[in-house]
Amino acid sequence: MSLPLEGRSAIVTGAGRGLGRAEALELARLGAAVVVNDYGQPGRDGSGEASTGPAEEVAAEIRAAGGTAVAHTGDVADHQQARELVELAIAEFGKLDILVNNAGILRDRMVFSMSEGEWDAVIRVHLKGHFNTTHFAAAHWRARSKAEGGRPVYGRIVNTSSEAFLAGSAGQPNYAAAKGGIVGLTTSTAIALAKYGVTANAICPRARTRMTEDVFAAVEQPGNGGGDAGLDPLAPEHVAPLVGYLASPTAAHVNGQLLVVHGGMVAVVERPRVAAQFDSKQDTFTYDELDALLTPYYAERPDGETFAAAEVLG
């Protein structure tokens, strides 16, 4: 019996640790040959010297289990190094079929305290990093399709967004903005590449990794309280199967979607819908008319989705 991804090749970025590692191992388990990308910096803020260690270790782990893998230690936020990553997959495996964008860093700060450098660094790694690899993968798939007379080819993109974009995260304006941008990039890419046979989807994972260790510090792991030990509900291994599914032929009709995943749960997120509509009684709204319509609407909304500003005027 063949494996779902047998004969396919994949890139997973940020795959030296945590979520990316679990995803790379899962794709390999399903039969894919994997390029394990990780820049290897020890700090979750992108600090420290780059290292070949994390990517090499995961690639070796895949090979030890009988799979096929090579390591790439470049910075996906660098346009040329992202090109080299895609070219490595093509050179090693003949083509690229699957791209999983996971690489990221954190530089948390309230918006009034955040520096320009802290903003730029997070946008660069998350959003530009996703764009760079997507750009070169998309060009590869488009060229393959043209070479085959315009026929659809096999291509899968799985991007990593976050619930920080969905629900807001007060101390992460850079991260939330980058993750929102990734959703926009994903839906645009999904529409643009559909005719070539390529799908693009995004996930919002909850997983206990070095990037989220303080966020989930209060969530107890199984066995820590003296109970039966089991798989941590925030283990990255809960997320990896969804990535494997989205990368597979079975998911050919899943495109431009956003899914939240953690601890044995997958939720499909709807695109934004119009909650209410107000029409002016004349050519254009007046201030008084907008006040009469919108002020009571937001004051009386039962869903609690608006955020009242502090009363600073005394």
Side-chain angles (χ1 to χ4, degrees), residues 127 165 176-186:
L127 187 52
F165 144 71
K179 291 306 189 182
I182 286 167
V183 174
L185 172 64
T186 302

Side-chain angles (χ1 to χ4, degrees), residues 102-139:
N102 172 72
I105 63 170
L106 291 178
R107 293 195 182 176
D108 295 350
R109 191 100 49 197
M110 298 295 283
V111 69
F112 42 76
S113 300
M114 181 166 287
S115 69
E116 181 182 12
E118 289 165 337
W119 172 272
D120 288 348
V122 169
I123 297 297
R124 175 183 180 273
V125 175
H126 286 274
L127 187 52
K128 186 183 178 186
H130 272 61
F131 163 74
N132 284 346
T133 53
T134 296
H135 167 76
F136 292 112

